[in-house]
């Protein structure tokens, strides 16, 4: 099989390629990535020399390029996106350009080339937020109620993907996943930011609403679910991917201080994120019953593996750290 993976020099996409080559060593993968501030060739170093792997630097929104790249491709997996809520508050335009227009351009090229499957990676955030004490969780067919420029762009992209299914019969699937943790996550995001700050004995900046919660999944479990959807998922269907493992930011901060043996005085409360979503929780009945998928790692195992990786791989995150923190110089959240 030949895959076109977009955004494969970022966090989840690179772990997807790693996962795929381990499970299907003979498959061919083309990785299209623009190498924005979030994409790095250091992230693909361990598989970059493989004969059946090719890297192309470019934009998913470049129709000429993606038309060429989708030729003789069986499956497109679209991870490429602007992915950080705090950046979307600084510059919403690029989120609409890449996440919405880029997705449409890639879809159009894949449609013309009659690609057999287009799998689109989406997020729990399209459904909006839940109250902290609310009993329900989001189902695949719940209405979208995005509240941030990032999650609005992801919701819009999902609508475009579905439109290609209804209008052109395009063989698409979509997955909505909860918050990922694991190796190669950019140090601008919560867990790697806190782990690497603590390794340097620096403060960990908790946004004021530190009781807000997220549902966490180890990145390999996310990718294993995407694999199940590509293999067994029904065309035109949307699948939620989640674990039920909810933790507040406060709980994560306390656990990291404990695991890294650092003083509580390193916790610092900083101004809140604008339109900070309180909580997301996915109902994952569909993927569990229909595709027999379930996560392998609980949060505690995932956190241990992630911390160990950052401890062993300073060569990867150190060059990114200063630039990652420069975002928070602008927002005052440090
Ligand atoms: P990331 O920011 O680490 O990686 C994104 C990658 O996309 C980078 O390598 C970047 O260079 C590339 N990219 C950006 N714009 C591009 C463009 N125009 N053309 C080609 N490449 C481009 O993000 P991530 O955390 O790995 O997220 C990957 C996908 O998963 C995104 O679609 C995101 O919305 C989704 N998602 C992420 C999470 C999470 O917890 N990180 C959870 C659910 C869904
Ligand atoms: O320094 C911080 N301090 C802090 O309190 C950072 C970076 C975050 N936070 C809080 C904000 C959120 O409540 O931690 C929580 C998680 O924040 P992020 O790591 O920025 O992730 P989030 O906004 O939840 O979005 C992530 O999961 C869903 C990904 O970045 C998205 O791409 C994905 O769709």
């Amino acid at each position: 099989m030949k895959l076109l993976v977009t955004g494969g020099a970022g966090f989840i996409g690179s772990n997807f390629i790693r996962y795929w080559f381990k499970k299907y060593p003979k498959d061919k993968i083309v990785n299209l990535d623009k190498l924005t501030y979030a994409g790095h060739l250091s992230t693909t170093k361990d598989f970059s020399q493989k004969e059946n792997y090719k890297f192309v630097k470019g934009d998913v929104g470049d129709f000429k390029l993606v038309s060429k790249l989708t030729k003789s491709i069986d499956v497109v997996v679209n991870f490429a996106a602007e992915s950080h809520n705090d950046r979307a508050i600084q510059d919403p335009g690029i989120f609409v350009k890449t996440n919405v227009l880029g997705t449409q351009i890639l879809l159009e090229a894949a449609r013309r080339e009659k690609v057999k499957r287009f799998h689109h990676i989406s997020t729990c955030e399209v459904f909006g937020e839940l109250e902290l004490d609310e009993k329900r969780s989001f189902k695949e067919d719940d209405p979208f109620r995005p509240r941030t420029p990032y999650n609005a762009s992801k919701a819009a992209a999902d609508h475009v993907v579905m439109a290609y299914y209804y209008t052109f019969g395009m063989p698409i699937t979509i997955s909505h996943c909860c918050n990922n943790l694991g190796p190669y996550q950019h140090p601008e995001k919560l867990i790697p930011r806190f782990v690497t700050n603590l390794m340097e004995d620096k403060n960990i900046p908790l946004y004021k609403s530190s009781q807000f919660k997220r549902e966490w999944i180890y990145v390999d479990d996310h990718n294993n679910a995407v694999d199940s959807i590509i293999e067994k998922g029904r065309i035109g269907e949307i699948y939620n991917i989640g674990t039920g493992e909810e933790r507040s930011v406060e709980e994560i901060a306390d656990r990291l201080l404990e695991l890294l043996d650092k003083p509580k005085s390193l916790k610092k409360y900083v101004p809140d994120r604008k339109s900070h979503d309180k909580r997301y929780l996915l109902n994952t009945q569909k993927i569990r019953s229909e595709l027999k998928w379930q996560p392998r790692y609980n949060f505690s195992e995932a956190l241990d593996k992630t911390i160990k990786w950052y401890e062993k791989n300073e060569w990867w995150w150190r060059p990114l750290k200063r630039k990652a923190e420069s975002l928070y110089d602008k927002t005052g959240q440090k």
Side-chain angles (χ1 to χ4, degrees):
M1 194 150 80
K2 191 166 176 189
L3 292 87
L4 173 65
V5 174
T6 70
F11 166 44
I12 308 175
S14 69
N15 280 295
F16 177 81
I17 296 174
R18 214 165 269 118
Y19 165 96
W20 200 270
F21 275 142
K22 201 166 165 200
K23 186 154 176 205
Y24 309 102
K26 298 216 165 96
D27 281 358
K28 295 193 175 104
I29 298 182
V30 177
N31 175 8
L32 170 65
D33 197 297
K34 191 178 172 186
L35 299 181
T36 66
Y37 81 94
H40 298 275
L41 290 179
S42 58
T43 306
T44 64
K45 197 168 168 244
D46 54 315
F47 52 76
S48 61
Q49 299 305 321
K50 286 179 81 71
E51 265 176 20
N52 44 348
Y53 170 77
K54 188 175 156 201
F55 177 75
V56 178
K57 181 174 187 274
D59 194 320
V60 286
D62 178 344
F63 185 68
K64 208 170 149 199
L65 175 67
V66 293
S67 298
K68 203 170 100 194
L69 293 179
T70 44
K71 280 193 189 1
S72 78
I73 288 289
D74 300 301
V75 179
V76 174
V77 191
N78 186 28
F79 289 94
E82 287 293 335
S83 70
H84 192 31
N85 270 302
D86 291 315
R87 284 185 190 270
I89 295 162
Q90 298 291 308
D91 182 12
I94 187 68
F95 284 70
V96 175
K97 187 163 183 260
T98 289
N99 301 359
V100 189
L101 300 178
T103 298
Q104 186 274 326
I105 288 167
L106 188 63
L107 272 165
E108 183 58 28
R111 176 176 85 89
R112 292 189 192 186
E113 290 304 326
K114 300 191 171 46
V115 163
K116 296 187 196 78
R117 177 72 72 86
F118 186 103
H119 183 73
H120 180 70
I121 303 292
S122 188
T123 171
C124 56
E125 299 197 15
V126 297
F127 299 112
E129 64 172 4
L130 290 170
E131 292 301 322
L132 293 178
D133 59 356
E134 213 170 322
K135 296 283 171 263
R136 82 190 166 98
S137 51
F138 297 125
K139 284 198 169 149
E140 284 83 353
D141 55 1
D142 277 359
F144 287 0
R145 293 199 173 91
R147 304 173 62 256
T148 76
Y150 163 69
N151 55 41
S153 70
K154 293 296 288 185
D158 283 18
H159 286 311
V160 178
V161 176
M162 288 314 294
Y164 268 68
Y165 168 67
Y166 290 118
T167 311
F168 305 113
M170 179 128 172
I172 63 90
T173 39
I174 298 179
S175 50
H176 293 139
C177 191
C178 62
N179 284 51
N180 285 226
L181 75 159
Y184 299 99
Q185 187 170 29
H186 197 277
E188 68 185 359
K189 304 279 167 67
L190 175 72
I191 290 181
R193 186 178 188 205
F194 280 15
V195 170
T196 54
N197 276 17
L198 289 176
M199 284 172 68
E200 296 182 322
D201 289 311
K202 291 194 174 136
N203 285 326
I204 48 172
L206 288 82
Y207 298 168
K208 197 160 160 265
S209 305
S210 59
Q211 74 282 18
F212 287 6
K213 291 177 186 174
R214 296 292 183 263
E215 179 187 9
W216 293 95
I217 189 168
Y218 192 61
V219 66
D220 284 353
D221 280 328
H222 179 184
N223 286 326
N224 176 261
V226 172
D227 179 11
S228 297
I229 297 168
I230 292 170
E231 194 198 343
K232 299 180 278 190
R234 286 179 293 134
I235 299 296
E237 292 290 322
I238 300 170
Y239 295 88
N240 285 348
I241 305 170
T243 58
E245 291 261 24
E246 287 189 279
R247 297 290 185 281
S248 69
V249 173
E250 196 73 45
E251 285 171 309
I252 291 175
D254 288 336
R255 186 73 187 129
L256 289 176
L257 290 168
E258 202 178 310
L259 289 169
L260 291 161
D261 197 20
K262 302 287 177 184
K264 285 221 172 202
S265 56
L266 287 178
K267 278 205 278 186
K268 183 179 174 195
Y269 295 89
V270 299
D272 218 344
R273 174 182 285 173
K274 286 196 179 81
S275 62
H276 190 179
D277 283 337
K278 294 189 182 91
R279 179 179 167 228
Y280 320 108
L281 181 65
L282 292 167
N283 178 318
T284 54
Q285 204 49 44
K286 181 172 173 180
I287 191 165
R288 288 174 194 259
S289 58
E290 204 180 298
L291 306 186
K292 310 286 174 243
W293 172 86
Q294 57 175 35
R296 269 185 63 191
Y297 301 100
N298 63 32
F299 181 69
S300 168
E301 292 163 331
L303 195 60
D304 282 347
K305 281 165 82 70
T306 304
I307 294 171
K308 284 204 179 83
W309 189 86
Y310 280 87
E311 283 174 339
K312 276 200 196 130
N313 291 283
E314 289 194 29
W315 70 273
W316 180 82
W317 62 261
R318 280 220 177 269
L320 313 183
K321 183 74 181 156
R322 185 144 28 104
K323 214 165 161 208
E325 284 303 310
S326 68
L327 165 67
Y328 301 110
D329 290 332
K330 282 187 223 143
T331 66
Q333 291 162 308
K334 69 185 299 179

